[in-house]
């Protein structure tokens, strides 16, 4: 059956003209004449039976239908170009994976481990973009997502299948200098963890997306902490890590996201009392009968690495 799809030349002309809202600038970008661009878009409008541009004395303006279609076409052409370049680059072997991921987990945990993936699957390339909230895969070019959330949030994400990669445990961390100021201790004991009660009087660093994290931690420890909600707020774990490294306060952090700082001694565990939160890290993919071979290989490797961590 013949597909009801316009010519790619017409779509390419329309995408550029829609992006600039100008036939002239589209012609310059595509190395075509303005009349050639105009003919392609006119043919596309006739094919669709929909007006995409409104002509004015000063040029053209997208209609509401044109603006909506332009976004869809741009996304589709981007995906087509990406897939074409992938096939050309890999000559039919291996492939790429387009991954949406929460930023700190991607930067601090996943990317440092990607060299291990390259050793066992040198023909797989992983592209990563930031995405912190659920989205519709049909509206993007993503193959999968690494998402941090609660089981309820994952269950309410429509049209996906989700696998729990790991639970999230947080522990109080701070700079060695800040920990030394909490209480006088003997030589060689300056960096040893303190009791939970001692943290209640220290400056606390808050995460804006988890405003009650410190209160939950102190409640779990049975400690009365009137200032549990006080302190500067930062959106990302990476921001908390930098602030804590510079002695600005104590942060509740998953140790897996600060492996480098803990290894170097820039951060130390302030209290050996971890707390498992409601959130976990999930590998999320479209709910399809079968995953692509590239996604299957990546998934197997990812869970093997997570289990060994």
């Amino acid at each position: 059956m013949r597909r009801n799809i316009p010519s790619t030349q017409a779509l390419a002309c329309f995408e550029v003209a829609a992006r600039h809202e100008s036939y002239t600038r589209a012609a310059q970008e595509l190395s075509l004449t303005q009349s050639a661009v105009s003919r392609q878009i006119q043919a596309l409008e006739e094919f669709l039976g929909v007006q995409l541009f409104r002509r004015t004395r000063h040029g053209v303006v997208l209609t509401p239908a044109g603006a909506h279609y332009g976004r869809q076409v741009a996304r589709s052409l981007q995906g087509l170009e990406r897939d074409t370049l992938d096939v050309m680059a890999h000559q039919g072997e291996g492939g790429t994976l387009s991954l949406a991921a929460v930023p700190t987990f991607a930067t601090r945990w996943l990317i440092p481990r990607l060299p291990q993936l390259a050793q066992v699957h040198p023909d797989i390339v992983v592209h990563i973009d930031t995405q912190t909230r659920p989205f519709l895969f049909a509206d993007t070019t993503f193959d999968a997502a690494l998402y941090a959330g609660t089981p309820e949030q994952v269950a309410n994400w429509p049209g996906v299948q989700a696998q729990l990669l790991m639970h999230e445990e947080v522990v109080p961390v701070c700079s060695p200098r800040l920990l030394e100021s909490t209480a006088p201790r003997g030589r060689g004991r300056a960096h040893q963890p303190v009791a939970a009660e001692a943290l209640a009087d220290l400056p606390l660093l808050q995460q804006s997306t988890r405003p009650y994290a410190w209160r939950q931690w102190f409640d779990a420890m049975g400690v009365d902490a009137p200032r549990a909600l006080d302190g500067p707020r930062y959106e990302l774990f990476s921001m908390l890590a930098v602030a804590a490294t510079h002695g600005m306060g104590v942060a509740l952090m998953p140790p897996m996201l600060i492996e480098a700082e803990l290894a170097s001694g820039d951060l130390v565990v302030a209290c050996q009392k971890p707390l498992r939160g409601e959130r976990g890290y999930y590998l999320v993919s479209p709910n399809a009968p079968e995953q692509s071979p590239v996604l299957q290989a990546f998934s197997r490797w990812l869970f093997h690495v997570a289990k060994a961590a």
Side-chain angles (χ1 to χ4, degrees), residues 43-278:
L44 180 59
E45 290 178 324
E46 292 174 354
F47 179 91
L48 299 171
V50 174
Q51 185 180 7
L52 301 173
F53 288 96
R54 180 169 53 84
R55 281 71 178 174
T56 71
R57 288 190 302 171
H58 304 290
V60 294
V61 178
L62 282 165
T63 64
H68 175 74
Y69 191 53
R71 291 190 293 270
Q72 303 297 322
V73 168
R75 187 179 298 116
S76 298
L77 289 178
Q78 181 183 18
L80 180 60
E81 181 180 31
R82 181 203 66 190
D83 294 341
T84 300
L85 292 174
D86 288 345
V87 171
M88 293 169 63
H90 293 90
Q91 294 296 298
E93 296 184 3
T96 65
L97 186 73
S98 183
L99 191 66
V102 287
T104 306
F105 185 76
T107 304
R108 297 297 190 100
W109 190 87
L110 176 61
I111 292 177
R113 288 168 170 80
L114 287 181
Q116 301 177 36
L117 175 67
Q119 290 179 353
V120 293
H121 295 290
D123 53 350
I124 293 179
V125 176
V126 180
H127 302 305
I128 304 175
D129 286 289
T130 298
Q131 191 73 265
T132 59
R133 293 181 173 86
F135 56 88
L136 295 177
F137 277 95
D139 293 339
T140 72
T141 59
F142 293 125
D143 300 303
L146 282 173
Y147 174 69
T150 65
E152 291 76 19
Q153 289 172 326
V154 172
N156 290 329
W157 191 337
V160 303
Q161 52 184 335
Q163 299 170 275
L164 177 64
L165 184 63
M166 62 181 74
H167 292 285
E168 182 181 87
E169 286 191 350
V170 294
V171 66
V173 297
C174 65
S175 72
R177 298 185 306 278
L178 184 62
L179 192 61
E180 289 168 3
S181 68
T182 58
R185 281 170 285 176
R187 184 180 298 273
R189 298 174 56 84
H191 297 167
Q192 289 192 2
V194 298
E197 293 81 357
L199 301 187
D201 295 325
L202 290 178
L204 304 177
L205 303 176
Q206 310 284 347
Q207 188 172 18
S208 56
T209 57
R210 308 176 193 197
Y212 301 106
W214 270 115
R215 173 175 285 178
Q216 292 169 349
W217 186 84
F218 280 116
D219 288 347
M221 301 302 119
V223 173
D224 182 28
R227 298 168 51 210
L229 301 181
D230 292 343
R233 300 188 181 280
Y234 303 96
E235 182 180 5
L236 302 177
F237 274 133
S238 56
M239 297 176 180
L240 285 172
V242 173
T245 299
H246 285 80
M248 296 177 62
V250 189
L252 277 175
M253 295 281 299
M256 65 179 175
L257 300 184
I258 48 173
E259 292 172 334
E261 288 86 350
L262 291 174
S264 66
D266 290 335
L267 288 176
V268 294
V269 175
C271 179
Q272 290 282 12
K273 298 288 185 179
L275 178 66
R276 175 176 289 189
E278 297 179 352

Side-chain angles (χ1 to χ4, degrees), residues 143-144 161 163 283-286 288-297 299:
D143 300 303
Q161 52 184 335
Q163 299 170 275
L283 177 65
V284 183
S285 58
E290 186 175 352
Q291 294 180 338
S292 70
V294 173
L295 181 54
Q296 290 181 26
S299 177

Side-chain angles (χ1 to χ4, degrees), residues 7-14 30 32 40:
S7 74
T8 54
Q9 178 71 9
L11 291 173
C13 287
F14 167 65
L30 295 170
L32 298 172
Q40 289 289 342

